[in-house]
């Protein structure tokens, strides 16, 4: 199936800078817990709302060729593009479900987005239950859709290692009945590694709901969030030379953080010095590499994901129905 890249205006409800909107204005704050936070977040930093009025935003990624941020609206089965000073455009539809029949679930579209080393967009496609790449001719090429002959649940988020290996998570949130969906073919939710040769390797199935995924700057540690409300943690996996896991630990446990606000561990990213930026109850929480909480961006709404853009010092955030950003004095890994 050929996918058209559309350039029509999205129907938006734009919020004012510094305010998140989801129907009514939602208060937001930047909370400072440790002096190290001041080194990476300016005193005058503000959360800006760039666009609002979507269903559930996810998967932000910086398109270096277009100097734009792409992000998924999963229920809308679409990817949108935001550029400085320009309107938000519908970039890709459909993005995750290509079937002709109406999708029965709530999340048919793409979730996590990234680019490979050739600048091609790679997507976690909920509806198609696979990881796929958007080709220049507008077609999707499936990169991984099965493990040992069984279909994935619904790949959620992904990250490339510098050697070309692609690591991704596979919870069942794209299925109509999620964990209890009768269409599940795998009894677990795994973390996988896809090699450049196309081999799919199961790394672990010990996390009930693996979600966000990111590497430390030296790529010796892989962070994986668990969105299981009964065990809302960020796991840290030590990598062996062959890319497998040789050690594991809980990096941070947010199970008891419900008072901080809605949401839970979801998207996660790391800056060049190893600070970990992860979604969690109430918004985005920033941890030093030793696990110390440095501070938080409290959005007041369920917050799905985040990523670096521009020159690497701008953090883009998908917060419920909105796309937001905050300008920092640190840079993201890869910039």
């Amino acid at each position: 199936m050929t996918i058209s890249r559309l350039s029509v205006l999205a129907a938006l409800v734009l919020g004012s800078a510094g305010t998140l909107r989801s129907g009514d204005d939602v208060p937001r704050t930047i909370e400072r817990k440790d002096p190290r936070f001041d080194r990476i977040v300016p005193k005058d930093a503000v959360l800006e709302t760039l666009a609002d009025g979507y269903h559930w935003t996810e998967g932000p990624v910086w398109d270096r060729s277009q100097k734009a941020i792409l992000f998924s609206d999963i229920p809308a089965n679409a990817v949108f593009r935001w550029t400085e000073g320009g309107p938000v455009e519908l970039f890709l539809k459909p993005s995750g479900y290509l079937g002709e029949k109406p999708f029965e679930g709530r999340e048919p579209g793409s979730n996590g987005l990234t680019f490979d080393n050739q600048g091609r967009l790679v997507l976690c496609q909920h509806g198609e239950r696979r990881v796929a790449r958007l080709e220049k001719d507008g077609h999707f090429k499936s990169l991984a859709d099965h493990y040992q002959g069984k279909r994935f649940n619904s790949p959620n988020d992904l990250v490339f290692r510098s050697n070309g290996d692609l690591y991704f998570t596979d919870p069942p949130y794209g299925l109509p009945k999620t964990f209890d969906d009768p269409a599940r073919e795998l009894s677990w939710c795994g973390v996988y590694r896809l090699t450049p040769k196309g081999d799919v390797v199961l790394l672990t199935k010990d996390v009930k709901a693996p979600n966000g995924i990111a590497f430390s700057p030296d790529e010796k540690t892989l962070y994986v969030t668990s969105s299981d409300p009964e065990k809302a943690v960020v796991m840290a996996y030590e990598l062996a030379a062959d890319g497998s896991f040789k050690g594991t630990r809980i990096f941070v446990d947010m199970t008891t953080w419900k008072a901080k606000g809605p949401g839970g561990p979801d998207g996660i990213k790391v800056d060049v010095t190893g600070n970990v930026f992860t979604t969690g109850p109430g918004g985005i929480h920033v941890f030093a590499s030793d696990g110390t909480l440095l501070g938080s961006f409290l959005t007041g709404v369920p917050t799905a994901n985040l990523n670096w853009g521009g020159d690497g010092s701008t953090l883009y955030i998908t917060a419920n129905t909105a796309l937001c950003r905050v300008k920092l004095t640190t840079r993201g890994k890869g910039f």
Side-chain angles (χ1 to χ4, degrees):
M1 180 177 182
T2 300
I3 310 300
S4 60
R5 297 192 182 192
L6 304 179
S7 296
V8 299
L9 299 183
L12 302 175
V13 179
L14 295 177
S16 59
T19 303
L20 292 173
R21 292 181 56 193
S22 178
D24 297 322
D25 289 343
V26 179
R28 56 93 185 109
T29 58
I30 295 178
E31 189 174 81
R32 299 173 185 270
K33 292 288 190 179
D34 187 284
R36 287 174 284 182
F37 194 68
D38 296 336
R39 302 174 197 166
I40 60 176
V41 181
K43 288 288 189 180
D44 60 351
V46 294
L47 282 166
E48 302 173 79
T49 299
L50 305 175
D52 202 347
Y54 300 93
H55 301 85
W56 175 240
T57 56
E58 251 286 6
V61 66
W62 183 251
D63 184 342
R64 299 186 188 215
S65 65
Q66 299 296 316
K67 296 183 179 179
I69 196 81
L70 303 180
F71 62 97
S72 299
D73 184 344
I74 305 177
N77 198 16
V79 172
F80 291 90
R81 176 171 59 195
W82 179 91
T83 54
E84 187 76 53
V88 177
E89 298 177 317
L90 182 59
F91 174 77
L92 185 64
K93 184 177 177 68
S95 66
Y97 175 63
L98 311 183
E100 299 297 332
K101 297 180 180 180
F103 188 77
E104 295 182 0
R106 296 177 298 173
E107 297 194 357
S110 60
N111 193 321
L113 308 173
T114 192
F115 285 96
D116 66 13
N117 59 10
Q118 296 184 41
R120 297 172 295 188
L121 184 65
V122 181
L123 314 88
C124 287
Q125 295 186 311
H126 273 190
E128 297 301 312
R129 300 170 65 173
R130 67 183 185 182
V131 177
R133 185 177 67 218
L134 181 62
E135 304 290 77
K136 292 182 179 180
D137 64 2
H139 285 81
F140 284 126
K141 176 180 175 59
S142 181
L143 301 182
D145 46 37
H146 289 77
Y147 176 71
Q148 294 185 344
K150 296 182 178 181
R151 294 187 73 186
F152 290 125
N153 298 304
S154 56
N156 188 281
D157 209 354
L158 68 176
V159 63
F160 276 103
R161 203 178 186 191
S162 58
N163 68 348
D165 284 347
L166 181 64
Y167 289 68
F168 65 95
T169 58
D170 183 42
Y173 297 126
L175 298 175
K177 296 182 179 179
T178 62
F179 292 93
D180 299 320
D181 198 283
R184 288 187 69 182
E185 298 182 15
L186 296 169
S187 61
W188 64 82
C189 298
V191 179
Y192 297 88
R193 177 170 61 93
L194 173 67
T195 71
K197 294 181 179 180
D199 298 323
V200 177
V201 180
L202 174 64
L203 298 171
T204 184
K205 55 181 180 180
D206 294 336
V207 180
K208 180 181 178 181
N211 202 313
I213 189 167
F215 280 110
S216 62
D218 61 8
E219 297 188 340
K220 293 181 179 180
T221 302
L222 183 71
Y223 297 101
V224 176
T225 66
S226 171
S227 51
D228 176 10
E230 302 302 317
K231 191 176 181 181
V233 299
V234 177
M235 302 299 298
Y237 296 97
E238 184 182 0
L239 268 64
D242 64 357
S244 62
F245 293 165
K246 66 176 183 179
T248 180
R249 60 188 169 90
I250 294 177
F251 177 70
V252 63
D253 190 337
M254 293 185 274
T255 308
T256 62
W257 286 25
K258 295 178 182 178
K260 286 184 176 290
D266 197 328
I268 186 169
K269 296 296 182 290
V270 180
D271 73 5
V272 291
T273 60
N275 296 309
V276 178
F277 291 65
T278 180
T279 59
I284 305 290
H285 306 288
V286 185
F287 298 87
S289 58
D290 62 8
T292 303
L293 176 63
L294 304 182
S296 303
F297 303 102
L298 299 177
T299 64
V301 295
T303 302
N305 217 327
L306 63 157
N307 215 335
W308 309 99
D311 65 357
S313 64
T314 299
L315 188 68
Y316 289 89
I317 300 167
T318 48
N320 196 21
T321 62
L323 172 69
C324 310
R325 74 176 174 188
V326 59
K327 296 181 179 181
L328 308 178
T329 49
T330 185
R331 291 175 184 262
K333 180 184 180 299
F335 285 85

